[in-house]
Every structure is written in C-alpha cells, then in structure tokens.
Amino acid sequence: MTRFNERTMPPGSAVGAPPGTDSAPPRSARATLALTSAATAVALMTYTAPVVTLRETAAALHTPLSAQAWLLNGTPLGLAALLLVAGSLADDYGRRRVFVAGTLALGLTTALGGLTTSTWAFTLARVAQGAASAAILASSLGLLVAAFPTPRGRLHATGVWGAFVSGGIALGPLVAGAMPNWRVAYAVLGAAALLVAALSVRSLTESRSPRGGRPDVAGALAFGLALVSLVAALTLGRDGWLRPQVGLLLAATVVLLALFTVIERRFAPTPMIDLALFRTPRFLSSSLAGLVTGLTVIGLFSFLPALLQQTLGMSAMDTAWLFLLWSGLSFAVALQAKRLAGRVAPRWQLAAGFLLHAGGALAMLGALDAGSWPRLLPGLVLGGAGSGLLNAALPLLAVESVPAARAAMGSGAQQTFRYIGSCAGVALTIALATSTGGGLAHGADVAMVVSAGMAALGAAGVMALGAARVTAPGRQV
C-alpha cells in the first residue's frame, strides 16, 4: 500500500524528521504527547464516571431499570457514530483544530450533563460527550504520528497514550465516587477538559493530509443512523427480542449499513473510510480486536460496579476502590507493555489480553452469589492485566494498519468498532444480568460466562487473521 504524502505545518512540527532519528523528541512533541494523553484521560474519565454512580443517577433522574442502559450507552453511541467522521475531518482539515474543538465541546457538554433533570436530557448530553470524545480520540493518534515520525518514537508515544486510556478508566470512578454527588463530579470533569483545551490552543502544532473534496455528510448520516438503530434494538431487546419494533430496528440497521457501503464506494468523493482496507489482514485484525474489546471488556466492566452495589450493598466509593484494582493494573501493564513491541507480534499480545480477560471473568463466578467481594480479587487481577495488554496493542496496531497520512482515520475506524462493541456489550450484559431467572447474582454469572466465551473467540479470531508483514511505517505488503 503506497504511503500518502504528508503536508506539515511550519516550525515545531516533527513530521519531517529523518526516518532514522532516535534522539529525544523536541519540546513540541513532548507537549503534544502530554496534552493528547491528558485529554484522552479526561474523555475516558467522563466515560466511566457513571459506572459507580449509576444507581444514584438513575434515582435522581427517575430512570426505570429497563432504560438504565441508555445512561451508560449514550457516550459510546456518540463515540461510535462520530469517530470515523472525526478521523477523516482531522486528517483533511487539521488534527489540532479538531482536537481543540473536541476538548472544548467535551468540557461544555460534561458540565451541562450535570445539570440535567431527566433521563432523555442526560442521555442526549452523554451522546454529545461521546461525539466530543470522538474528536479527541481520533485526532490524538494523528497528532502523535505527526509529532513522532520515527518507529521508535511512535512506539513510545502510542504506548504512553494507550496507558492513559487505562488511566482515565481508572480515575473516572474514583473521582465520581469521591465527589459529594454525581453532579459535582461532572462539573469537575468539565472544568478539567476546558483547562486542557486552553493549554492546547497555544502548545499544539497543526498537521493535516488534505485529499480535497467536501466532508462525507451523506455517509456520516447513514452510519450514525445505523448505529442509533442498532443500539435502540439492543436496548429494547431485553424486554423481548421477538417484538416487532426490535425487528424493525435491526432491519433498519442492515439497510442503513448497506446504504453507507454504497455511498462510500460510489458517491462519496472523499469517503470516511477506504473500504479496500478491509481486504488487509492487519486492518481486519485491528477492527476485530476493537469490536471484541468493546463487547467483552467494556461491556462487562461497565455494569459490574452497579451489580456490586445492588447485590453486595457496596457504596459508590467502596466500589470505585475495588474497581481500581482492575483499572489501575490495566494502566500499569499498558505503560510497560510497549516494551513488548518488536518482540511479540500484535496478534499474540491481543490474544493474550483476551484470554486473560476470559480467565478473569471465569474466576469471578459465584462471588456475587456468595456475597464475598474478596473472591473477585483474582479475577480483577487477571482481567486488569488483560485489559492493559489490549490498551497497549490496539493504538499501535490502529496507526500501523493504515498509511501514515491517514492515521487519524485508522484510529477512528478501530475505535468505532470498539464502541459499537461497547454499546452492544453493555446492553447484552444488562439484559443477561437482569433477565435471567435466579436473581442478579445468577444473572451476573451468566454475563461473565458469555463475556469469557466471546473473548476466547476474539483471541482465536485475531490469531487466525494474523498480521500483515510491515516493510516500513505506513506500508504493508
């Protein structure tokens, strides 16, 4: 695959550095890494904040159990719908521009979310937060590829960035649990995002890879509506999968995805995604791994804290500390796992991550039914290590599976699948936990078994696909 030409902006951009340079990155590159990592952490903190305050939030908004999936799925829905669009816009119109706009929007929408008084208003605020987070996540890796052009520098930068994904997941529940109430937590997170936006305006260097043409509005609309239909079907399905409205929503999803494919292939002058990439094993591996991560890891651990509170009577803060064992270990492993790159093939790292998650889920079986939180500890340790391996491998594979000039699009594509999987995984976990006879504890065991099984299939899938041989950054054969 031929590499695109990269147009860089003047002084301070590291894109033009000689390929063999291994010296310390310039100050502008270090600032880029610091700000993109900080914004990513805040975005993930916002994402996971409701995990430990779900019961309190649902009570304040008078949300019935059947609609609680929307409180968790609003942000992943916004992420999944806008990541591809954000990645294309960042590459074409400026990664710094999209990043700053996304960080500013995240601050405002998060603060507004804390002021809502109804389920639908809160859900809409969460969708807007997801859209803003999409701009941050998709443009961040594009900015890092531009700032760290050498393989060694890119390896270091994506490793640190992946660790901050885990760090944000770890800190979100702690911040939310430590605040007097969930509304104050949203105000604090909104202020943090606005601070990062202010610092980014002066510190980041612009880069882009313009292809010409106009934004793919028709493709974005078709894809976004397809995701809304899918999430609505999965959420309503817990009350009966054979109901007509569920079938109609699933049919609409299929039709809209088909329409999106036609638009991208025949009508979009600058398509959001090059569909030919799906013929390359490495891009397929990246997409599959993102999807399975959302289905299994994010799906299970998004609702597990609420299950702990409802079955074991744990407080939000106690749940956050217990959750930190999983997420904190994920951060530590992701920070160190970059040392594996070049020594361990991505497919092996991904497969190990999925198998560790599967082992962790199975190790937690029976803990809730026994009323014993200490029995969760081995499973949280195994799951945390697995999540760390996944968070370290996924961003590097995302940018290496596409031409370097389309790094933001590659990041957006993989994370789109990740958050599609998250929407489906959360809805599935809630459905299994609340609809299975035998109570919540038994339902949680069923959800854990299903999560472990899907993770094992994901490990087999990435191993079967393998990885395309890379001859140079951004080139595949």
Side-chain angles (χ1 to χ4, degrees):
M1 186 175 290
T2 305
R3 182 175 178 174
F4 286 72
N5 291 325
E6 178 81 0
R7 187 180 84 178
T8 59
M9 303 306 287
S13 175
V15 180
T21 302
D22 284 333
S23 58
R27 183 176 179 180
S28 61
R30 294 195 298 271
T32 298
L33 178 57
L35 288 168
T36 54
S37 297
T40 297
V42 173
L44 269 297
M45 288 169 69
T46 303
Y47 182 98
T48 57
V51 165
V52 296
T53 60
L54 179 62
R55 185 168 59 175
E56 178 190 358
T57 306
L61 302 177
H62 307 290
T63 307
L65 181 63
S66 61
Q68 287 184 16
W70 285 109
L71 302 183
L72 294 175
N73 267 344
T75 295
L77 175 59
L79 276 161
L82 269 296
L83 273 163
L84 272 177
V85 181
S88 291
L89 289 175
D91 283 334
D92 290 338
Y93 298 100
R95 295 154 186 157
R96 172 183 171 274
R97 181 179 298 170
V98 170
F99 177 86
V100 171
T103 310
L104 178 62
L106 179 64
L108 295 175
T109 55
T110 301
L112 289 173
L115 300 175
T116 56
T117 57
S118 68
T119 299
W120 282 109
F122 181 81
T123 300
L124 289 174
R126 293 282 290 169
V127 172
Q129 291 163 30
S133 297
I136 294 170
L137 298 182
S139 58
S140 288
L141 284 177
L143 283 166
L144 290 178
V145 168
F148 294 86
T150 68
R152 181 176 177 181
R154 190 171 301 166
L155 170 63
H156 167 73
T158 56
V160 171
W161 186 87
F164 272 83
V165 170
S166 297
I169 292 171
L171 289 174
L174 278 179
V175 170
M179 295 296 111
N181 58 64
W182 64 275
R183 297 185 187 277
V184 175
Y186 270 66
V188 170
L189 292 172
L194 292 174
L195 176 61
V196 176
L199 293 173
S200 300
V201 171
R202 296 178 60 87
S203 303
L204 293 181
T205 301
E206 186 62 282
S207 67
R208 59 171 67 95
S209 306
R211 298 172 294 165
R214 291 176 293 180
D216 182 12
V217 176
L221 186 61
F223 191 73
L225 289 174
L227 290 181
V228 172
S229 297
L230 175 62
V231 175
L234 292 171
T235 304
L236 294 174
R238 68 172 302 279
D239 293 325
W241 293 101
L242 299 180
R243 293 189 300 161
Q245 55 265 50
V246 176
L248 288 173
L249 286 168
L250 290 174
T253 301
V254 173
V255 171
L256 287 165
L257 286 176
L259 176 62
F260 170 73
T261 302
V262 171
I263 291 171
E264 297 302 287
R265 283 184 172 176
R266 299 189 178 182
F267 299 106
T270 51
M272 290 192 297
I273 185 170
D274 180 3
L275 297 178
L277 287 169
F278 285 102
R279 294 198 293 267
T280 64
R282 199 152 215 191
F283 187 82
L284 277 175
S285 242
S286 173
S287 302
L288 175 65
L291 179 66
V292 176
T293 298
L295 275 170
T296 59
V297 180
I298 302 176
L300 177 62
F301 282 97
S302 289
F303 194 58
L304 182 60
L307 288 171
L308 295 179
Q309 293 175 27
Q310 294 179 53
T311 57
L312 303 184
M314 297 178 68
S315 68
M317 198 62 199
D318 289 341
T319 307
W321 282 114
L322 186 61
F323 189 80
L324 182 64
L325 177 62
W326 170 78
S327 54
L329 187 59
S330 175
F331 171 76
V333 170
L335 199 58
Q336 296 301 317
K338 63 180 184 287
R339 303 175 189 273
L340 298 175
R343 302 175 185 176
V344 178
R347 57 177 173 150
W348 287 101
Q349 189 171 331
L350 292 170
F354 286 132
L355 292 177
L356 282 170
H357 170 78
L362 294 177
M364 292 189 290
L365 289 177
L368 301 187
D369 197 32
S372 171
W373 67 261
R375 284 185 54 179
L376 294 167
L377 299 181
L380 292 173
V381 169
L382 288 174
S387 176
L389 288 177
L390 293 170
N391 286 337
L394 285 169
L396 183 61
L397 186 59
V399 298
E400 287 190 343
S401 65
V402 298
R406 302 294 289 142
M409 183 274 291
S411 170
Q414 183 203 79
Q415 292 182 85
T416 295
F417 283 101
R418 178 177 176 132
Y419 292 108
I420 289 174
S422 169
C423 289
V426 167
L428 178 62
T429 300
I430 292 177
L432 292 172
T434 59
S435 302
T436 307
L440 278 178
H442 175 71
D445 284 347
V446 174
M448 290 172 189
V449 171
V450 171
S451 180
M454 291 190 297
L457 290 175
V462 294
M463 289 301 296
L465 282 171
R469 181 166 61 91
V470 178
T471 58
R475 295 180 185 175
Q476 296 178 339
V477 293

